[in-house]
Amino acid sequence: LDGTGGRRYGIISVDEPASGRRPDDHELELLGALAAHAALAIESSLQVAALERALVRNRAVIDGTPDCVIAVDGDDRIVEFNPAAEMTFGHSSAEVIGRCASQLLVGPDHRESFEAVAARVRSGEGVEVLGRRMETVGVRRDGTQFPVELAVTRVEAGRGGEQLFY
């Protein structure tokens, strides 16, 4: 069972039956196709296992960092809200996922300017703010406002080109 990159996963052997009849070309071709499919299935399961390990590692980093990690999609909807963000803003992840980040987490007097910068970044402009620290005012669940410092990172997520902002 030869996979891509010359990796070998196993061998399929054919024992001659007691009749002594050897497999014909068609049967050998079918066995070759079976071996190729088996190798692809093995490679696929190994890749899935590697992705699962990477997801677990990434989840540990995001959940374990003392900094807030908040990811929003191109429509400003929260898609990630780590435990540090839960503690800082007073919302559980479950109650904020899918909600508008700027309306929920930014102080009312700062939303308009925050949304303007966010719109420029989403449109591909405003690259000067990417990775730079900015200050604004956050708002906790209980309504108290507090100064926050944030840095925005844009990530292309998946083959569809979905953009996420951290």
Side-chain angles (χ1 to χ4, degrees):
L1 303 175
D2 291 338
T4 59
R7 295 183 75 176
R8 182 161 288 189
Y9 296 107
I11 298 172
I12 293 181
S13 66
V14 179
D15 292 334
E16 287 187 30
S19 68
R21 183 182 84 73
R22 300 182 74 77
D24 62 27
D25 289 343
H26 178 70
E27 292 168 326
L28 290 174
E29 187 177 317
L30 287 174
L31 285 172
L34 174 65
H37 284 289
L40 286 173
I42 291 168
E43 284 183 346
S44 179
S45 66
L46 291 173
Q47 290 172 350
V48 166
L51 286 172
E52 288 171 345
R53 286 190 303 275
L55 286 171
V56 167
R57 282 192 308 271
N58 289 341
R59 173 63 31 211
V61 169
I62 289 171
D63 286 351
T65 186
D67 293 325
C68 297
V69 176
I70 302 168
V72 297
D73 64 14
D75 294 323
D76 193 35
R77 302 286 175 205
I78 299 170
V79 296
E80 179 71 48
F81 201 76
N82 77 337
E86 291 178 324
M87 287 179 47
T88 301
F89 288 92
H91 297 280
S92 73
S93 177
E95 67 185 327
V96 300
I97 298 297
R99 295 183 61 190
C100 182
S102 60
Q103 293 296 310
L104 187 65
L105 306 176
V106 178
D109 295 340
H110 297 84
R111 284 183 190 139
E112 189 175 319
S113 61
F114 181 87
E115 289 173 346
V117 170
R120 287 185 61 233
V121 170
R122 281 193 300 273
S123 73
E125 300 175 13
V127 294
E128 70 278 358
V129 301
L130 294 177
R132 293 188 50 198
R133 294 190 180 278
M134 298 176 288
E135 293 180 6
T136 190
V137 173
V139 63
R140 291 187 176 94
R141 182 177 191 196
D142 66 7
T144 59
Q145 296 184 37
F146 63 102
V148 296
E149 186 177 80
L150 60 99
V152 177
T153 302
R154 181 175 46 212
V155 176
E156 297 287 328
R159 292 184 180 148
E162 177 188 18
Q163 292 187 4
L164 297 178
F165 302 90
Y166 287 85

